[in-house]
């Protein structure tokens, strides 16, 4: 298997086994099982240059019907620093605002070292935004609104997820993935 396929397959496995398997995002199963999520890899060495790849992914959403492409992931295997993905997200959010696309596209950042503000690096709740690789997830705002409107207690999802992951603990979380998962997650 080539490197690109391995990265995409690992990402899909994370979505299936972790995000859907633990029901961290109750809206993820439909687009995943119906192959409506598209994946691309940005091999850029600097996140500054990854903005173009991210906007290509956004354009894919804008130019496809929702029943063809629901959402996209841009996987950034060379983005090692958590701070870099936050800078990229802030830049993308600013550009979405400037181009008036923020009412159409929502951006979510994931990273192997993701840490919520005021959380310990070792808090299991951080895994709600930890992933095998740094990545940007682009969603249709209309689909997010629809999901929110049709799901009870949507605002409780982050707290429920953090509580669920804290109860599982790092050992059980790592068991969800293959044996080398802990090795791929740095600083634990």
């Amino acid at each position: 298997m080539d490197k690109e396929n391995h990265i995409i397959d690992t990402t899909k496995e994370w979505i299936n086994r972790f995000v859907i398997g633990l029901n961290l995002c109750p809206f993820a199963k439909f687009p995943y099982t119906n192959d409506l999520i598209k994946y691309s890899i940005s091999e850029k060495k600097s996140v500054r240059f990854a903005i173009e790849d991210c906007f290509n992914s956004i354009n894919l959403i804008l130019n496809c019907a929702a029943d063809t492409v629901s959402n996209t992931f841009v996987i950034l295997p060379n983005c090692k620093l958590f701070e870099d993905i936050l800078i990229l997200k802030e830049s993308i959010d600013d550009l979405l605002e400037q181009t008036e696309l923020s009412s159409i596209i929502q951006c979510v950042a994931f990273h192997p070292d993701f840490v919520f503000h005021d959380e310990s690096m070792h808090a299991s709740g951080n895994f709600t935004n930890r992933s095998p690789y740094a990545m940007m997830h682009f969603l249709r705002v209309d689909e997010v609104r629809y999901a929110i409107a049709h799901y009870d207690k949507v605002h409780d999802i982050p707290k429920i997820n953090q509580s669920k992951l804290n109860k599982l603990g790092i050992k059980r979380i790592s068991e969800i993935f293959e044996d080398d998962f802990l090795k791929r997650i740095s600083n634990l």
Side-chain angles (χ1 to χ4, degrees):
M1 176 183 304
D2 67 17
K3 180 182 175 185
E4 185 171 307
N5 284 334
H6 175 73
I7 290 169
I8 290 172
D9 286 349
T10 300
T11 300
K12 288 179 177 180
E13 179 183 352
W14 166 73
I15 293 168
N16 187 40
R17 294 175 77 181
F18 191 68
V19 177
I20 295 170
L22 293 178
N23 197 30
L24 297 179
C25 178
F27 323 123
K29 188 173 184 175
F30 180 82
Y32 180 82
T33 58
N34 289 287
D35 199 27
L36 300 176
I37 303 171
K38 300 304 172 202
Y39 309 86
S40 64
I41 297 174
S42 177
E43 293 287 351
K44 305 294 190 298
K45 300 290 182 195
S46 167
V47 293
R48 289 183 309 157
F49 301 115
I51 289 176
E52 180 181 352
D53 293 332
C54 290
F55 268 84
N56 288 339
S57 188
I58 290 168
N59 280 328
L60 178 63
I61 293 173
L62 296 174
N63 292 308
C64 290
D67 62 354
T68 304
V69 176
S70 170
N71 57 83
T72 63
F73 281 92
V74 176
I75 308 163
L76 303 124
N78 296 320
C79 178
K80 303 302 181 198
L81 298 176
F82 172 54
E83 293 78 19
D84 286 346
I85 202 76
L86 294 179
I87 291 167
L88 178 60
K89 181 181 180 345
E90 185 177 324
S91 297
I92 290 169
D93 285 343
D94 288 346
L95 287 169
L96 288 172
E97 277 294 322
Q98 292 169 14
T99 57
E100 299 182 2
L101 291 174
S102 61
S103 63
I104 301 170
I105 302 292
Q106 178 181 341
C107 174
V108 179
F110 293 91
H111 193 277
D113 296 327
F114 196 97
V115 178
F116 285 102
H117 181 67
D118 292 334
E119 282 288 338
S120 155
M121 178 64 170
H122 302 291
S124 298
N126 291 322
F127 275 87
T128 59
N129 283 66
R130 284 193 182 167
S131 56
Y133 305 99
M135 57 183 78
M136 301 303 295
H137 186 195
F138 299 103
L139 304 126
R140 295 174 185 271
V141 169
D142 286 345
E143 287 185 7
V144 173
R145 284 188 189 128
Y146 178 83
I148 288 170
H150 292 86
Y151 186 82
D152 292 336
K153 302 178 187 178
V154 72
H155 299 292
D156 294 335
I157 290 173
K159 289 181 183 182
I160 291 168
N161 287 345
Q162 286 185 331
S163 175
K164 185 185 300 182
L165 293 172
N166 283 329
K167 285 178 186 172
L168 282 175
I170 190 67
K171 185 174 187 307
R172 178 63 186 112
I173 292 169
S174 69
E175 291 169 358
I176 293 168
F177 293 88
E178 60 270 9
D179 294 337
D180 68 342
F181 178 69
L182 280 177
K183 293 176 192 168
R184 292 196 323 251
I185 304 297
S186 61
N187 299 319
L188 289 179

